[in-house]
């Protein structure tokens, strides 16, 4: 039976997680709505659009990469409950740091937010999945669909508030509103933890004391080396955003290989079969986030310089278009929760993922036509965000559900970290795409140029290729994702889809 579509009719533990995630997403998307605009503004960082797009991609990627050690710490050291609370505190400190109008505090602030997000997000998702037994796959997918509402409510409200304050009053006051949102989230979680009982209180696979000591030592060494490198580069005058993007981007692209090997090494033979098939979920998620990350850079830039935003005598803030995406996901989430609880829930996982990619491709096909106008109607972006939102909801809910289903015992947070690592790869590649799509030179003439139709055509073709591969290999993928003895009540249809 599907859970109620109203979060306040859920158990108290669900409501607590829902509201915590809502306010964390408010703070995150509030900052994201103005990050690119602040970076390119003359009274902000004054960066060229291409460099700012790469920076946004790097930041999004960093939040995802941080979920890898964040998931490990939740599983092995803190336990999901304490990991979520610690991450929320780090995020709040980061937003407060952004309030200070200085370039140095800007980079420190986004670093703190990325670290806190990486600690909070995989463990919050793992907490939710832990409340559903392995045999309740359909209920878990429907619950994640409802849980997605928290993300979209926060993401819907944030650009309207932080965007207006940031664009029309002061950028740093806009960042301050995000700090207030995270403060509310901390209070909600701290008060509601008593409803969790023992779920997530202790780590699922406690690390040995010697392992924790080595972790602290190597963490200190790595931080010292990185800090020394940054100082040396700054002294030599070679410290540039482009250099940071290149170095971190390379590390992100390489990170999935050793991380997945660690998970595979601890898995049973049956679990390894499912984890190798999970690579298709990883690939699909990577492509999804490559496309979605365009919203914060390329589509944000398109709204600012290539869209007719004049309504009567009011110029609509460019950041307000960022609210369209969560608005449409919010409207579609209850519908999809019902769909997954009905006959469509019997579709094989690869078919669902392929359908999401095809819809995502359609959104950028529309941009091919929109980009041909120097002052496009805002309706183009409205429809683009509608189709992209549906695609994200399909791939996101299915991907999270499968991640929770195939995770080895005691390693749910770690596999959630791998799911977010897929997002990191997509975001960093998407950031490089954005750098190529937008002018790299400074000045108003360069800033007024947007990406051409050819760029959006390339973003149309890419997901279609992956969708075709999923469709061709659907039977084999679905069979290998088949749960083993640890999931005795989870059945499969003849085409491999869950009942």
């Amino acid at each position: 039976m599907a859970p109620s579509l109203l979060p306040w009719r859920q158990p108290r533990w669900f409501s607590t997680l829902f509201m915590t995630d809502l306010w964390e997403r408010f703070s995150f998307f509030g900052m994201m709505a103005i990050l690119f605009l602040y970076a390119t503004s003359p009274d902000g960082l004054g960066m060229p659009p291409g460099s700012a797009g790469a920076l946004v991609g790097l930041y999004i990627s960093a939040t995802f990469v941080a979920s890898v050690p964040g998931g490990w710490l939740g599983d092995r050291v803190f336990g999901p409950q304490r990991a979520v609370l610690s991450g929320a505190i780090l995020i709040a400190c980061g937003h407060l740091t952004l309030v200070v109008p200085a370039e140095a505090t800007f980079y420190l602030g986004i670093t703190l937010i990325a670290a806190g997000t990486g600690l909070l997000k995989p463990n919050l998702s793992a907490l939710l999945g832990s409340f559903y037994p392995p045999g309740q796959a359909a209920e878990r997918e429907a619950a994640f669909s409802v849980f997605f509402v928290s993300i979209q409510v926060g993401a819907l409200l944030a650009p309207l508030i932080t965007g207006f304050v940031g664009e029309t009053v002061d950028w740093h006051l806009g960042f301050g509103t995000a700090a207030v949102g995270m403060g509310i989230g901390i209070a909600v979680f701290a008060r509601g933890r008593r409803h969790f009982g023992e779920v997530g209180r202790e780590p699922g696979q406690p690390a040995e004391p010697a392992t924790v000591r080595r972790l602290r030592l190597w963490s200190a060494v790595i931080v010292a080396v990185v800090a020394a490198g940054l100082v040396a580069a700054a002294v030599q005058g070679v410290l540039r955003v482009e250099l940071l993007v290149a170095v971190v981007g390379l590390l992100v692209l390489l990170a999935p290989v050793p991380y997945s090997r660690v998970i595979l090494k601890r898995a049973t033979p049956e679990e390894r079969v499912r984890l190798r098939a999970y690579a298709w979920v990883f690939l699909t998620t990577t492509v999804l986030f490559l496309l979605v990350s365009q919203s914060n850079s390329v589509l944000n830039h398109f709204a600012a310089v290539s869209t007719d935003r004049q309504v009567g005598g009011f110029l609509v803030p460019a950041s307000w278009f960022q609210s369209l995406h969560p608005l449409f996901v919010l409207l579609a989430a209850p519908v999809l929760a019902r769909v997954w609880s009905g006959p469509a829930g019997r579709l094989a996982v690869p078919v669902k993922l392929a359908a999401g990619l095809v819809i995502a491709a359609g959104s950028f096909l529309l941009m091919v036509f929109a980009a041909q106008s120097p002052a496009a109607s805002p309706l183009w972006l409205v429809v683009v965000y509608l189709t992209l939102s549906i695609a994200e909801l399909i791939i996101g809910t299915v991907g999270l559900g499968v991640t929770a289903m195939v995770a080895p015992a005691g390693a749910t947070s770690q596999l959630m970290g791998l799911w977010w690592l897929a997002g990191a790869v997509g975001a960093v590649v998407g950031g490089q795409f954005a750098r190529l799509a937008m002018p790299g030179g400074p000045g108003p003439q360069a800033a007024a140029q947007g990406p051409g139709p050819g760029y959006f055509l390339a973003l149309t073709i890419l997901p279609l290729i992956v969708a075709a591969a999923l469709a061709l290999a659907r039977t084999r993928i679905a069979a290998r994702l088949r749960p083993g003895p640890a999931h005795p009540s989870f059945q499969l249809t003849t085409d491999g889809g869950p009942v």
Side-chain angles (χ1 to χ4, degrees):
M1 181 178 179
S4 169
L5 299 180
L6 302 176
W8 53 86
R9 292 186 179 177
Q10 298 281 350
R12 294 296 295 274
W13 60 261
F14 188 98
S15 300
T16 298
L17 293 176
F18 183 97
M19 295 304 297
T20 302
D21 198 54
L22 186 156
W23 287 109
E24 186 275 330
R25 293 291 85 183
F26 175 92
S27 69
F28 179 84
F29 285 104
M31 192 270 282
M32 286 302 305
I34 59 177
L35 177 59
F36 176 85
L37 301 174
Y38 169 74
T40 56
S41 173
D43 56 346
L45 298 180
M47 298 174 64
S51 297
L55 174 64
V56 170
L58 174 64
Y59 169 71
I60 298 174
S61 178
T63 63
F64 293 155
V65 169
S67 69
V68 175
W72 187 90
L73 289 171
D75 277 340
R76 308 295 304 279
V77 181
F78 296 137
Q81 287 191 34
R82 194 148 54 100
V84 169
L85 184 58
S86 301
I89 294 172
L90 277 177
I91 293 170
C93 291
H95 285 301
L96 289 173
T97 304
L98 290 178
V99 175
V100 181
E103 185 172 350
T105 56
F106 169 80
Y107 289 107
L108 175 61
I110 63 175
T111 300
L112 290 173
I113 297 170
T117 302
L119 192 56
L120 184 148
K121 288 304 291 181
N123 289 289
L124 195 66
S125 298
L127 260 179
L128 175 62
S130 298
F131 281 97
Y132 293 92
Q136 295 183 356
E139 290 85 350
R140 183 170 52 243
E141 280 196 13
F144 273 116
S145 296
V146 178
F147 195 66
F148 257 48
V149 174
S150 66
I151 299 174
Q152 308 315 320
V153 170
L156 169 63
L157 296 176
L160 300 177
I161 299 174
T162 62
F164 179 80
V165 174
E167 289 190 60
T168 64
V169 182
D170 182 81
W171 295 114
H172 298 283
L173 288 179
F175 294 134
T177 61
V180 173
M182 192 65 259
I184 297 174
I186 292 173
V188 169
F189 187 82
R191 182 179 180 182
R193 285 180 70 185
R194 65 182 185 274
H195 301 297
F196 298 160
E198 295 301 313
V199 176
R201 185 181 298 275
E202 301 295 335
Q205 294 179 330
E208 298 291 334
T211 301
V212 176
R213 287 194 295 269
R214 286 196 300 270
L215 173 66
R216 290 173 178 170
L217 174 62
W218 280 107
S219 297
V221 170
I222 292 172
V223 169
V225 170
V226 171
L230 291 175
V231 171
V235 171
Q236 296 296 322
V238 297
L239 180 60
R240 302 190 307 275
V241 172
E242 292 79 6
L243 177 62
L244 291 175
V245 170
V247 173
V248 177
L250 180 61
L251 293 176
V252 169
L253 292 176
L254 297 176
V257 176
Y259 185 78
S260 59
R261 285 182 176 176
V262 170
I263 298 177
L264 284 168
K265 184 178 180 180
R266 299 178 63 91
T268 66
E270 294 80 6
E271 290 170 340
R272 291 192 190 104
V273 172
R274 294 196 295 274
L275 289 171
R276 291 191 176 98
Y278 181 79
W280 286 95
V281 179
F282 185 94
L283 174 62
T284 304
T285 304
T286 298
V287 174
L288 169 69
F289 279 101
L290 186 157
L291 300 176
V292 171
S293 68
Q294 305 299 304
S295 301
N296 303 118
S297 54
V298 171
L299 295 185
N300 209 352
H301 185 62
F302 186 86
V305 305
S306 301
T307 302
D308 182 8
R309 297 184 283 122
Q310 197 73 35
V311 179
F314 178 68
L315 182 65
V316 176
S319 57
W320 281 15
F321 285 89
Q322 299 293 298
S323 288
L324 291 174
H325 182 77
L327 172 63
F328 291 133
V329 174
L330 181 62
L331 295 175
V335 177
L336 189 63
R338 293 292 189 187
V339 169
W340 284 166
S341 301
R346 300 173 64 88
L347 293 174
V349 166
V351 174
K352 297 177 184 178
L353 297 177
L357 288 176
V358 170
I359 294 172
S363 65
F364 286 94
L365 179 61
L366 291 172
M367 285 302 302
V368 172
F369 300 101
Q372 298 179 27
S373 172
S377 167
L379 292 178
W380 282 107
L381 284 178
V382 171
V383 181
V384 166
Y385 278 118
L386 171 61
T387 52
L388 191 59
S389 300
I390 295 173
E392 180 183 357
L393 189 57
I394 293 173
I395 296 175
T397 54
V398 173
L400 283 171
V402 173
T403 302
M405 181 185 73
V406 305
T412 304
S413 291
Q414 292 176 61
L415 199 63
M416 285 292 178
L418 184 62
W419 190 84
W420 287 105
L421 186 56
V425 174
V428 77
V429 174
Q432 290 302 309
F433 279 21
R435 183 178 64 83
L436 297 174
M438 295 181 290
Q445 182 177 1
Q449 300 175 12
Y455 176 74
F456 295 112
L457 181 60
L459 293 182
T460 301
I461 296 173
L462 176 62
L464 290 178
I465 293 174
V466 179
L470 280 166
L472 291 174
R474 64 187 183 278
T475 302
R476 179 165 53 90
I477 297 171
R480 293 184 177 182
L481 287 174
R482 183 189 302 272
H487 304 82
S489 59
F490 190 90
Q491 299 176 344
L492 297 174
T493 62
T494 54
D495 67 351
V499 175

